[in-house]
Amino acid sequence: MKHISRFSHLGELSDKDYFRIALSVDCVIFGFEDGELKVLVIKCNIKEYKGKWSLLGDLVRPDEDLDSASYRILKERTGLDDVYLEQVHTFGKVNRHPAGRVITTTYFSLVNIKDYQLKLNDNELHWHPVNDIKEMAFDHFEILTTCLERLREIVEDHPVVFNLLPRKFSLRELQSLYEAILNIKLDRRNFRKKFFMMDWLIDLNEYEEDVPHRPGKLYKFNQAKFGKKAKKVS
Amino acid sequence: MKHISRFSHLGELSDKDYFRIALSVDCVIFGFEDGELKVLVIKCNIKEYKGKWSLLGDLVRPDEDLDSASYRILKERTGLDDVYLEQVHTFGKVNRHPAGRVITTTYFSLVNIKDYQLKLNDNELHWHPVNDIKEMAFDHFEILTTCLERLREIVEDHPVVFNLLPRKFSLRELQSLYEAILNIKLDRRNFRKKFFMMDWLIDLNEYEEDVPHRPGKLYKFNQAKFGKKAKKVS
DNA sequence: TTAATGATGTGTAAAAAGTACACAAACTTA
DNA sequence: TAAGTTTGTGTACTTTTTACACATCATTAA
């Protein structure tokens, strides 16, 4: 056993003693509603963290790719399987889970809240405003923070946030989404200029309805410009 | 068991059936020598990948933090324990390891090759030019590629590459390092201007010796400007 | 109906950052 | 001492980013 430990890629992994770590996947699923960035959470009911929020996760199955596990969890919880999903970080402190040694790989995803209905009876599954969350079960608050930082890095260069919006949206909605994610105010004229220059938007020649002010033009995301890359950044 | 699977954070992890995945750490340790970016590799001698290069890795111990495992591997192989080390990605395809289900979390590190002596008899452990490597054992070539991409992203903004250089270095050495990492040619005047503006360098008022041309000034990295952040980007 | 309100839509000027580029000086080697 | 190699330096041009004001359109309240 010792020689396997020193030169990891030599030996057979037949000794059951090596399988004493469990592996899970946790998903940080972001949504956008009422001008706020939200995250999908459930009530935790293991005794150590009774009543605290936790992320959606599950153990990885022995016959399942790591990435597949994240898609499975997303699908099980939201019904969606065709969205942007990206691995962020793996958390592996010895005592992060009270039930035993569990290392978790985290993914984040962006979905349009209105695209489906939650089964709200499941463990109080619901969308919670990211900024209202100050603590969570396990190390999930750290995980959330890490994923939010990653999201902020990514939106600067990649057209991923369109997953958070309805198919048709106004420039104000788009800007308020960026402001919610980055937690800053942006200049309206420069914001518009930038997006038109990047050619990410298609003008639908339609207008907002039922807004208590002058209606803005509606746009859709220029999918053709990115092909599959709109979903996967890496 | 089923209910644990659906709501991961509910149950006890007492069922041994869950511990059927092994977890390892692989380290991509970059060095710089003779104007080339190099990576520390060993000969793989499991039968499926006989003679191919592989990265340095080991199984994570049940009582060891994930990050600690990466530091341990680096220390065991290079004797260094005070260097930049960053988690990059976790690879978890079902069949990535022929000996069984092994998920691996990868880290990269940058070390100064001249700082220590390798024990070269261990499995042909040696520094290999990154650009000469076209295939490796397991999925290690993909891992190497991913880590190299991450390194390229990081050097644009963070002063990490100084770990690859001796304490005193010339601007030419620094530039040739950036050129080796990014695999592009840079303009010498703009490169110098940029580094002086960033205030990352301290002029030592010393000059190169034993060079077959006009000696350049020597500098050291302005550590004080970054504190602990020079080691950890995140 | 009219006025107040609130969001839309638009362009320009200044500042900052990035890029391209050439020549004299210092040291080594032949 | 001449040829070769690398150092060290500044300026003009281009691109990107930032700051900023006013008329228009629809709704709501008077």
Side-chain angles (χ1 to χ4, degrees), chain B residues 15-130:
Chain B
D15 192 324
K16 284 290 181 199
D17 283 347
Y18 280 118
F19 299 90
R20 275 186 283 159
I21 302 180
L23 198 81
S24 69
V25 162
D26 284 298
C27 290
V28 176
I29 303 171
F30 290 110
F32 182 60
E33 199 178 38
D34 305 327
E36 283 185 308
L37 188 66
K38 300 189 173 181
V39 61
L40 205 48
V41 293
I42 54 176
K43 267 280 165 66
C44 182
N45 54 7
I46 80 164
K47 63 177 187 298
E48 289 86 348
Y49 294 110
K50 202 79 174 180
K52 298 237 190 305
W53 299 116
S54 80
L55 299 169
L56 305 179
D58 197 2
L59 291 165
V60 179
R61 297 174 180 163
D63 59 348
E64 174 182 58
D65 286 351
L66 186 59
D67 288 347
S68 305
S70 65
Y71 279 105
R72 170 171 60 81
I73 290 163
L74 183 68
K75 173 84 180 199
E76 283 173 5
R77 291 318 187 136
T78 68
L80 298 174
D81 60 2
D82 190 31
V83 298
Y84 178 80
L85 196 54
E86 174 171 316
Q87 191 191 113
V88 176
H89 196 81
T90 297
F91 293 83
K93 285 215 193 311
V94 169
N95 294 314
R96 60 173 296 281
H97 198 300
R101 184 73 202 272
V102 185
I103 287 178
T104 193
T105 299
T106 59
Y107 287 76
F108 84 83
S109 180
L110 306 171
V111 308
N112 176 8
I113 292 181
K114 300 239 162 59
D115 274 2
Y116 61 92
Q117 290 302 315
L118 295 177
K119 304 142 198 153
L120 284 166
N121 43 336
D122 283 0
N123 287 77
E124 302 183 42
L125 173 69
H126 80 295
W127 292 104
H128 207 87
V130 168

Side-chain angles (χ1 to χ4, degrees), chain A residues 5 7-10 13 19 23 26 45-46 57-58 61-62 64-66 77 87 90 92 94 101-103, chain B residues 5 7-10 13 19 23 26 45-46 57-58 61-62 64-66 77 87 90 92 94 101-103:
Chain A
S5 180
F7 307 118
S8 71
H9 301 303
L10 294 179
L13 289 167
F19 298 90
L23 198 80
D26 283 298
N45 54 8
I46 78 164
D58 197 1
R61 295 173 181 163
E64 174 181 57
D65 286 349
L66 187 58
R77 292 317 189 138
Q87 191 192 112
T90 298
V94 170
R101 184 72 203 272
V102 185
I103 287 178
Chain B
S5 180
F7 307 119
S8 72
H9 301 301
L10 294 181
L13 290 167
F19 299 90
L23 198 81
D26 284 298
N45 54 7
I46 80 164
D58 197 2
R61 297 174 180 163
E64 174 182 58
D65 286 351
L66 186 59
R77 291 318 187 136
Q87 191 191 113
T90 297
V94 169
R101 184 73 202 272
V102 185
I103 287 178

Side-chain angles (χ1 to χ4, degrees), chain A residues 104-118:
Chain A
T104 192
T105 299
T106 59
Y107 288 76
F108 84 84
S109 180
L110 306 171
V111 309
N112 176 6
I113 292 181
K114 300 242 162 58
D115 275 2
Y116 62 94
Q117 290 301 315
L118 295 178

